Amino acid sequence: LKLWNQSDEQEEMIDNIEEKLSYVLLFTSVNLILGFFFFGAGMALLSEDSYTKVILFLVGFIVCVVSTILIQNKVVNLEKEINPFLNGSVYDFKFSQKWLDSCDEAIKLNVYKSSFKAYKSITNTCLILWIVCVLGYNFFDFGIMPLVMVTIIWLVQTIAYCIESIKCSKNKIN
């Protein structure tokens, strides 16, 4: 980034940097999800009277969450150097909204396209998990809770998408 002199000829260099930053953000998102797994696994191990395992899982949770926040802060600050019009701090509870509000139309279009792709992926994943839960309930005695959880996630995702779509349609007409 320090070598970039903001000329059109070096625009490819900045695109390459932004792509690498996107992969870093992907890593931090996965890291955060794994941190929550560590937390849940640690809580599940409490009943086993194995405090060493619980402590390791809780440390894993803390390390994952703290490293995610610190790395995301560095990425956001670097992105703000590249695009000075972007605003927000990862330490702000309304960061996502402030960031999106400061994005230009090209970035917003990318966010919207990515969001729709995620919506479709989650719908397909929920369908597959629903089938697994139904089969597991009938053949492996999973119980009803996995089916309930998948259904709740699927409902929340679908309802949120549809309500937002309705709101956007109303705003377009007015």
Side-chain angles (χ1 to χ4, degrees):
L1 179 63
K2 296 205 184 300
L3 297 175
W4 179 51
N5 65 12
Q6 298 187 354
S7 70
D8 289 338
E9 298 164 357
Q10 293 189 329
E11 193 66 32
E12 187 175 312
M13 174 190 275
I14 232 27
D15 290 342
N16 190 17
I17 291 170
E18 287 183 325
E19 181 181 351
K20 288 179 181 173
L21 289 177
S22 295
Y23 282 110
V24 172
L25 288 176
L26 170 63
F27 165 77
T28 61
S29 296
V30 170
N31 187 46
L32 183 63
I33 292 167
L34 291 176
F36 280 102
F37 168 78
F38 284 132
F39 182 81
M43 293 295 107
L45 291 174
L46 275 176
S47 63
E48 294 184 13
D49 293 331
S50 176
Y51 294 109
T52 305
K53 289 179 184 176
V54 173
I55 290 171
L56 286 175
F57 277 107
L58 292 178
V59 167
F61 169 72
I62 292 168
V63 167
C64 286
V65 170
V66 169
S67 65
T68 294
I69 292 169
L70 295 175
I71 293 169
Q72 284 181 346
N73 187 49
K74 292 283 188 187
V75 170
V76 164
N77 290 340
L78 186 57
E79 192 67 49
K80 288 188 330 190
E81 276 186 52
I82 296 170
N83 300 301
F85 57 87
L86 294 172
N87 296 317
S89 166
V90 295
Y91 303 116
D92 186 356
F93 284 113
K94 295 187 178 191
F95 167 71
S96 295
Q97 189 58 49
K98 288 181 179 179
W99 188 265
L100 190 59
D101 288 345
S102 68
C103 289
D104 64 10
E105 292 302 315
I107 296 173
K108 285 181 181 178
L109 182 61
N110 186 26
V111 170
Y112 300 150
K113 284 182 177 181
S114 302
S115 298
F116 183 70
K117 180 70 174 176
Y119 165 78
K120 290 187 343 183
S121 297
I122 292 170
T123 298
N124 292 335
T125 302
C126 285
L127 179 60
I128 292 166
L129 290 174
W130 182 85
I131 292 169
V132 168
C133 289
V134 167
L135 293 174
Y137 179 81
N138 288 318
F139 297 112
F140 303 108
D141 198 29
F142 277 10
I144 195 77
M145 190 52 103
L147 183 61
V148 169
M149 299 304 290
V150 169
T151 302
I152 289 171
I153 292 168
W154 201 356
L155 282 170
V156 167
Q157 178 252 351
T158 301
I159 291 168
Y161 177 83
C162 291
I163 288 173
E164 194 59 32
S165 178
I166 291 166
K167 285 180 185 176
C168 290
S169 294
K170 285 182 179 178
N171 288 339
K172 193 167 116 178
I173 294 171
N174 294 337

